[in-house]
């Protein structure tokens, strides 16, 4: 299993990170990620920048939250809700 999340080089014109435009959704559509068994949900419909996944491992489930570069306050509040909805599961945040 894997997760995809944008770094600063994925945002803005030519990776300038001057704004939040990205072509990631063209190459990694959320519809494809949603088919993965680990996929749990996304902050915005049809956008891959902020997602969560529950990975099955030999040690038990792990929650992985993949966040955009420099996550906005609303994204952080969403991520907090995801963590709260999965009590007791070890959690990794990728940004």
């Amino acid at each position: 299993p894997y997760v995809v999340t944008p770094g600063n080089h994925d945002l803005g014109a030519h990776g300038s990170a001057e704004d939040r435009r990205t072509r990631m959704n063209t190459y990694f559509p959320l519809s494809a990620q949603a088919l993965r068994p680990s996929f749990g949900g996304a902050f915005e419909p049809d956008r891959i920048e902020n997602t969560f996944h529950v990975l099955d491992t030999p040690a038990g489930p792990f929650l992985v939250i993949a966040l955009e570069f420099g996550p906005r306050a609303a994204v952080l509040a969403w991520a907090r809700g995801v963590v709260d909805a999965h009590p007791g599961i070890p959690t990794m945040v990728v940004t």
Side-chain angles (χ1 to χ4, degrees):
Y2 65 91
V3 302
V4 177
T5 191
N8 63 313
H9 58 278
D10 298 307
L11 302 175
H14 307 291
S16 65
E18 64 190 20
D19 58 39
R20 296 200 174 276
R21 288 179 296 156
T22 181
R23 295 177 65 189
M24 284 186 65
N25 294 289
T26 301
Y27 297 102
F28 301 99
L30 185 64
S31 59
Q33 278 293 307
L35 297 175
R36 303 186 66 73
S38 64
F39 182 77
F43 174 68
E44 297 172 290
D46 299 323
R47 300 200 60 90
I48 197 170
E49 290 92 327
N50 301 287
T51 59
F52 78 92
H53 311 260
V54 179
L55 304 179
D56 288 324
T57 76
F62 273 81
L63 175 63
V64 178
I65 302 176
L67 301 178
E68 64 194 9
F69 172 74
R72 299 163 280 166
V75 170
L76 293 175
W78 168 80
R80 174 86 258 174
V82 170
V83 171
D84 291 346
H86 296 84
I89 297 178
T91 302
M92 295 179 266
V93 176
V94 181
T95 185

